[in-house]
Amino acid sequence: MANISVLPHELADKIAAGEVAERPSSVVKELLENAIDAGGKRIEAEIKKGGISYIRVTDNGSGIPADQIETAFLRHATSKISSLDDLYRIGTMGFRGEALSSISAVAEMEVITKTPDEDEGVYLSIKSGKCCEKQEIACADGTTMMVKNLFANVPARMKFLKRDATEAGYITDLMGRIALSRPDIAFSYIVDGKEIFSTAGDGNLKNVVLNVYGIDHAKALLDVDYTEDGIRVFGVAGKPEISRGNRTRQTLFVNGRYVKNHVVSKVVEEAYRNYVMTGKFPFFVLGITMPFEMVDVNVHPAKTEIKFAEERKIYEIVNHAVKNALYCEKNSCQNKNEAEKVSYVMPEIPRESGSMLKFSMPGKTELKYTETLPKGFTNEYLKNTLPKSVDTDKCEDEEYKVFDSINLYDEIKKNTGEDTLGDIHFKEQEENEELPPSLYDIIDEQPELKTEIVGQIFDTYIICRRGDEMYMIDQHAAHERLRFEKLKEAYRKKECFSQVLMVPAVINTGAVERAAVLDNLSVFERLGFKIEDFGGNSLLVSESPLPGDETEIQNLILEIAESAAAGSRRPIAEFEENALDMIACKYAIKANKKLTYEEMKDLTDRLKTLEDAGITTCPHGRPIKIVFTKYEIEKMFKRKV
Ligand code: ADP
Ligand code: MG
């Protein structure tokens, strides 16, 4: 074994830097937090090439005294805490004293700073963690931090970075959220020489929403403001119509700090339960203020994850605050706290390991069978989990078919002998006779391998029977896959599937989305969109692969842009598949839609091509159909052991 030795200082710093300076956006975050802590009322952030070549954050805050500037770059150097007690009263963003030392270990830095007390400012440059140059300089009060050539000396980390546009996207997202968390600060944000957005710093959160997310969001906001036991929940929640297919537009800040807390999202979503479709997530920008000792922000080095001391109570208050806002909107009431206090139920976190299958049938004898099975449950699963001694292939055999028939008790007796039969089978036999007739149709023996449509249940699943199999088809999953394959084929052959819109659609986006769309115009073009910059925060769409209405086209474009911004490191083909899937998804028959027999027939007929190609899931990987063999059904009813 190699000798144990203490790491050289420089190496240790680089390792520590990995925690704080993970990627350009985390560097920007640290610099912005320092600027906010310094009391800056005007903060400007500028980046070039996704922040990798250049990051600048300028504030008009307190500045750093010239004689302390080097100290600020030492590890564990902070002006924010000096004792353990302070840790529990922390009201500032930073306090670990690690950011500047970490960043300077992985990039070149330059600082220009001046405190109001000093006449001259100071300039300092740092390379490889060491001060290079220090000189007096004439400048305004406040601090400018510049970071250049990030990770140039850490090739391993560099490799993990995504393309510039993606890294810029992360920073844009972060900038937006930080601006939302502090409406009292005027932020301005510049990417590659172009201002993406700026906020007024007038303290009005709705104005910030307008600047960051655009007019559509700003027009659809509900005020949230509720205080209980010294805990205040305030901000804005989106009206249900601006809910999205993901959570990227949910922002939470606690005591002024932008944080992530998955449970708070769930708790807010629970408040929306009857207002928003499943699969859609509400928009919100919520702040929680509470006594500092109730928060533990020190759980994660980058300090975005957060833990609360009295979790349950906080969740209840958040839930109630949002319910109030929704209730007031619906009932146009004056008193904001009029909504009845509803006792709060922890939202159910979906079980990872299995899904619940419930079979319940109407009729005199209600039979219920509940079993927990892994996701993607198929008859294959059941076959594999059958006791080893049972030959599953036998379910096709005559011997087993005997059990299939309903009025064949005598025959069973004749064929298998009383011993193997037992009372229990006989009793089930009687129960079966009371089942509603539709079930007979399913269980009844019909040997020809034609697919027969039994019907639709829950307006979502088509029940079919083919030979010895009964199966349920998820109509949306099936149709989405069919559309997807068709689009993919057309895309591959470069066939045009876009349509010129009679009336071009004008979409109003926020700064973040606009940047994501414009960064990916060529992708949109290949997908059949013709999009032009329409000035301000608007885009003009004149061609679209989707004949839908303006809102539908807008939602689709924004969703694609979001996924382009988030996942661009994946091979482009995969991203495009994803976009095609979004188009397919919008086209496809939805769940909760009654289908005519002809529609069901058309869908099931077309599924055969997918079956032949071995495709069994929708593009997201959900199964298109679940198959139950007669044998499996019998096992469930304990007709078979
Ligand atoms: P922390 O923020 O955890 O204290 P940092 O490494 O981020 O640690 O910063 C070290 C110190 O440098 C801060 O405590 C603060 O005194 C000073 N500092 C950093 N950035 C600024 C700024 N923009 N304005 C004024 N002081 C700053
Ligand atoms: Mg800091």
Side-chain angles (χ1 to χ4, degrees), residues 402-471:
V402 173
F403 285 88
D404 296 346
S405 305
I406 287 174
N407 291 317
L408 291 178
Y409 174 63
D410 287 337
E411 216 174 311
I412 295 165
K413 221 155 86 173
K414 193 165 70 215
N415 283 351
T416 61
E418 192 124 25
D419 287 351
T420 55
L421 202 57
D423 272 338
I424 201 142
H425 285 132
F426 186 61
K427 273 187 191 139
E428 280 190 359
Q429 188 69 42
E430 285 174 348
E431 270 179 12
N432 275 338
E433 277 167 0
E434 292 173 20
L435 290 178
S438 64
L439 269 157
Y440 281 102
D441 298 344
I442 304 166
I443 302 167
D444 198 11
E445 185 66 16
Q446 279 185 16
E448 74 271 31
L449 280 173
K450 198 166 107 264
T451 301
E452 171 204 340
I453 294 162
V454 178
Q456 186 193 26
I457 51 163
F458 310 133
D459 290 346
T460 301
Y461 307 99
I462 304 168
I463 297 183
C464 298
R465 174 249 168 99
R466 184 165 56 190
D468 259 359
E469 289 180 336
M470 166 187 115
Y471 48 90

Side-chain angles (χ1 to χ4, degrees), residues 30 34 80 94-95 99:
E30 293 294 339
N34 281 347
K80 296 164 196 172
F95 56 84

Side-chain angles (χ1 to χ4, degrees), residues 66-86:
D67 59 344
Q68 287 177 33
I69 179 91
E70 287 100 334
T71 320
F73 285 85
L74 295 178
R75 191 123 169 251
H76 304 304
T78 178
S79 56
K80 296 164 196 172
I81 49 169
S82 53
S83 73
L84 195 60
D85 272 359
D86 286 351

Side-chain angles (χ1 to χ4, degrees), residues 595-614:
L595 299 184
T596 62
Y597 178 82
E598 281 66 34
E599 286 168 326
M600 291 193 269
K601 175 104 177 59
D602 179 53
L603 195 60
T604 46
D605 282 353
R606 283 193 290 149
L607 278 183
K608 290 201 181 84
T609 55
L610 293 183
E611 268 169 30
D612 293 344

Side-chain angles (χ1 to χ4, degrees), residues 34 38 59 62-64 72 77-80 94-100 143:
N34 281 347
D59 67 64
S62 65
I64 306 170
T78 178
S79 56
K80 296 164 196 172
F95 56 84
R96 294 168 153 253
E98 274 180 341
L100 294 185
T143 305

